[in-house]
Amino acid sequence: MIWNKEMECADRETMRALQLEKLQKTVKYEYENVAPYRKKMDDAGVKPEDIKTLEDIRKLPFTTKEDLAANYPKGLFAAKDEDIVRVHASSGTTGKPKIAGYTRGDLEIWGECVARALTCAGQDKNSVIQIAYGYGLFTGGLGAHIGAETIGATTIPMSSGNTKKQIMFMKDMKSTAFCCTPSYALTVAEGLAKEGVDPSELSLQAGIFGAEPWTEGMRENIEKGLGLKAYDIYGLTEIIGPGVSISCDEHNGMHIQEDYFYPEIIDPETLEPLPDGEIGELVFTTLGKEGFPMIRYRTRDLCYLMRDKCACGRTTVRMGKILGRTDDMLIIRGVNVFPSQIEEVISRFEELTINYMIYVGRENNKDTFDLEVELAPGLEIDDIGFVENLRSRVDHALRDMLGIGCKVKFLNADTLPRSEGKAVRVKDTRKLHDK
Ligand code: AMP
Ligand code: ZN
């Protein structure tokens, strides 16, 4: 099922013509209404009239997280205060949150995008959608909510946490879709197992999971544990929230709602655009947003774009799974390490759960790198022969993936803290010493 065939399956020329028209409007609107961005354009010597083709977008200055901090709280809003009907916020780089403002029109766009995502995950007005993203300033809860209401599903605004109650509602309300972070989905899957509930007793068909990076291995774990098909939903507060893109049944990238969000991939060092297929930093320009429009916003998320034909019938450009963020990349002993690489290794071992914690520190002027990971239920850390054999295989696989070694500590199942929202899996104490 496709929510908006006209847009999701448009031919390339139609989409590009629409994008150009919307881009020209956006740039003019931003220039006229957002003084700090107007200054940037003036400094770069570019005027709205200079945008004659889609490629001319490259003439425009980027917007960064630092720009948001410098113009906190509302300096980059373009609409009048009286037209803002909602704000959301996300934690910022400097301790001040990033505040996003929405007009009524923006909420409609958001509803449309999440409606497309939920439909892509097989949901419709007969569905029962249980939302276990946090409600509040975080965009997850209310973002999924507006989409579920737009498609006319029965919407259950659970918010996150209280796993027993989540399971009770799932059973009693016959929820067909479950929306939350992948790490919380895993927590709920464990809750089901603990209560002895077989997923086949539930009515779940689809999981719409996002807001944090997760690997294919994690997807398999969740699909098995909850008895559903898991879809990846991507978004960020600065652009709108969840619904910027969604994976389809092909599980080969996420379709970007590109009539609203124009994507580019750039080299984060040189800031030059990269061709399709090359990994770099994802940059978005909003097309049609009024409250808090963004031009060439540097997300810091790393992925690549794909434009080959997708078997689902949608023609929109796809982004690969988020491989990490430029700012969650750890540089350990000079080597770049992404938590997702570690997750991928762990997910290959049946003897391990997919819960882990990474600790990075500094001792005697050298980086320390430790990993805590749980043995699967039923296995014991006291079984020394088994654990030593496993250690050597895990060490080997990690070294192969990362190029450096790390000290692995095995824990019994169910000992690491479980996540209800975005999981915290890295403790890097080196930063504390730097400041
Ligand atoms: P926030 O605005 O606080 O919800 O955070 C947005 C950030 O969460 C994005 O920039 C990504 O780094 C991350 N994120 C959101 N959705 C996904 C996803 N599906 N996969 C990986 N990371 C995601
Ligand atoms: Zn597809």
Side-chain angles (χ1 to χ4, degrees), residues 248 250 255 310 312 314 318:
C248 64
E250 302 304 313
H255 287 277
C310 186
C312 77
R314 290 173 182 79
R318 297 177 336 272

Side-chain angles (χ1 to χ4, degrees), residues 26 29-30 34 63-65 67-69 71-80 83-84 86-90 97-103 106 236-241 261 284-295 297:
T26 299
Y29 176 73
E30 178 101 1
V34 184
T63 308
T64 62
K65 294 186 196 280
D67 292 325
L68 262 65
N71 295 288
Y72 173 85
K74 297 191 294 186
L76 299 181
F77 282 19
K80 294 198 202 88
D83 293 324
I84 299 289
R86 170 96 67 83
V87 293
H88 280 283
S90 160
K98 291 170 288 206
I99 312 261
Y102 301 71
T103 63
D106 295 335
L236 61 166
T237 312
E238 301 91 300
I239 296 303
I240 203 155
F261 315 109
F284 277 114
T285 298
T286 59
L287 303 174
K289 252 180 63 178
E290 300 165 333
F292 190 48
M294 278 287 136
I295 294 181
Y297 182 67

Side-chain angles (χ1 to χ4, degrees), residues 336-389:
N336 299 350
V337 173
F338 285 101
S340 60
Q341 296 175 300
I342 294 173
E343 184 175 304
E344 198 185 314
V345 170
I346 294 171
S347 75
R348 285 193 226 135
F349 286 86
E350 273 183 6
E351 299 90 335
L352 303 174
T353 77
I354 202 152
N355 294 290
Y356 60 95
M357 270 305 295
I358 300 164
Y359 299 90
V360 189
R362 217 161 157 75
E363 257 169 41
N364 305 326
N365 291 322
K366 266 171 76 190
D367 290 336
T368 58
F369 180 19
D370 295 84
L371 174 70
E372 284 182 355
V373 58
E374 289 177 356
L375 296 181
L379 299 175
E380 283 294 330
I381 48 168
D382 302 334
D383 186 346
I384 294 177
F386 160 75
V387 166
E388 285 321 306
N389 173 290

Side-chain angles (χ1 to χ4, degrees), residues 316-336:
T316 40
V317 57
R318 297 177 336 272
M319 52 187 264
K321 249 187 176 339
I322 299 289
L323 301 164
R325 301 170 52 91
T326 52
D327 42 12
D328 74 15
M329 181 179 82
L330 296 159
I331 302 178
I332 306 173
R333 295 173 214 138
V335 177
N336 299 350

Side-chain angles (χ1 to χ4, degrees), residues 272-284:
E272 287 303 316
L274 291 174
D276 290 346
E278 278 192 31
I279 297 172
E281 180 177 344
L282 184 59
V283 169
F284 277 114

